[in-house]
Amino acid sequence: MAFSADELRVLRRALAIALHPMPLSDEDVQDCLRLAGSVDEAAGEAGRLRAFLLADLARYRNALPGSATGYLELLQDALAAGYDPRPDDLAALRALHGGRLAAALLERCQVLAERSVRARLAGRSAGLTAPGPRSRLLALPGGRAADREPDRPRTPAAPDRPQKPGDRPMPKPSEVFPPRRRPAPPPSEERAAG
């Protein structure tokens, strides 16, 4: 994630205020809230892009062996981005025997999968849980938190998935890249004459 010079200025000021609390001007509060919104939006977009790429990887894996080249490229990109290979990936790479790239990826995926399993087992035995998603910035010390009215009770969200303000549903790959339409066949001459 990259910050503009203006965003870095706001971030530096927010960090200084966090270390040495002081009253904030309305402009400073608005700058911090805008920056927090931008960071939340970037994190959401990154999550949607990751979900799309993982779905694309699964489609290529399901179309093997015909899609071997595309699958291997996508898997390399996913591994570089921190993807933990799944058992389906290991099975697919074993089925693609004969290629040097597939063999190298299989070896790399086996190491990563073993590391991932060991880390999960170590986390369970220590009673650790995975960190939750980052919460939204709601108040800054010395900001407008003291002037606003008390929080009203919120209505419960749908039980299957809580909705956040500004939360957009993730588009399906078919919505982002709709299937190509086949051109309609030209009308036959018999119908035209008929």
Side-chain angles (χ1 to χ4, degrees):
M1 184 180 300
F3 291 102
S4 70
D6 200 34
E7 289 172 331
L8 281 175
R9 179 185 53 79
V10 172
L11 184 60
R12 173 180 267 163
R13 195 171 39 195
L15 290 173
I17 291 166
L19 292 173
H20 305 288
M22 66 179 91
L24 292 174
S25 68
D26 285 347
E27 182 183 334
D28 289 342
V29 171
Q30 290 303 316
D31 287 346
C32 289
L33 290 174
R34 270 194 297 277
L35 179 61
S38 297
V39 169
D40 287 340
E41 186 177 328
E45 287 297 320
R48 283 190 280 280
L49 178 61
R50 179 177 171 80
F52 176 77
L53 292 176
L54 292 180
D56 210 20
L57 182 66
R59 271 196 306 279
Y60 273 82
R61 184 176 52 236
N62 293 336
L64 287 173
S67 63
T69 304
Y71 172 70
L72 294 175
E73 288 175 10
L74 280 174
L75 183 59
Q76 280 181 312
D77 293 343
L79 292 173
Y83 172 69
D84 279 335
R86 298 191 170 108
D88 294 343
D89 295 309
L90 296 172
L93 289 170
R94 285 185 190 107
L96 292 174
H97 54 80
R100 276 192 283 161
L101 180 58
L105 277 174
L106 176 61
E107 186 176 322
R108 181 176 173 196
C109 286
Q110 285 173 331
V111 169
L112 290 173
E114 183 178 330
R115 221 181 273 160
S116 175
V117 168
R118 285 178 191 244
R120 274 185 270 152
L121 290 175
R124 281 188 193 152
S125 65
L128 300 176
T129 58
R134 188 177 80 77
S135 62
R136 293 186 54 84
L137 177 64
L138 298 177
L140 294 171
R144 287 198 246 174
D147 329 337
R148 65 175 202 189
E149 31 181 292
D151 291 336
R152 296 183 188 115
R154 297 182 184 177
T155 57
D160 57 332
R161 180 175 178 256
Q163 290 290 322
K164 298 175 193 159
D167 193 14
R168 298 182 307 203
M170 181 173 36
K172 298 177 187 170
S174 62
E175 293 170 342
V176 177
F177 301 105
R180 294 184 185 167
R181 305 282 182 221
R182 293 186 179 164
S188 63
E189 293 179 17
E190 294 173 5
R191 289 186 189 169

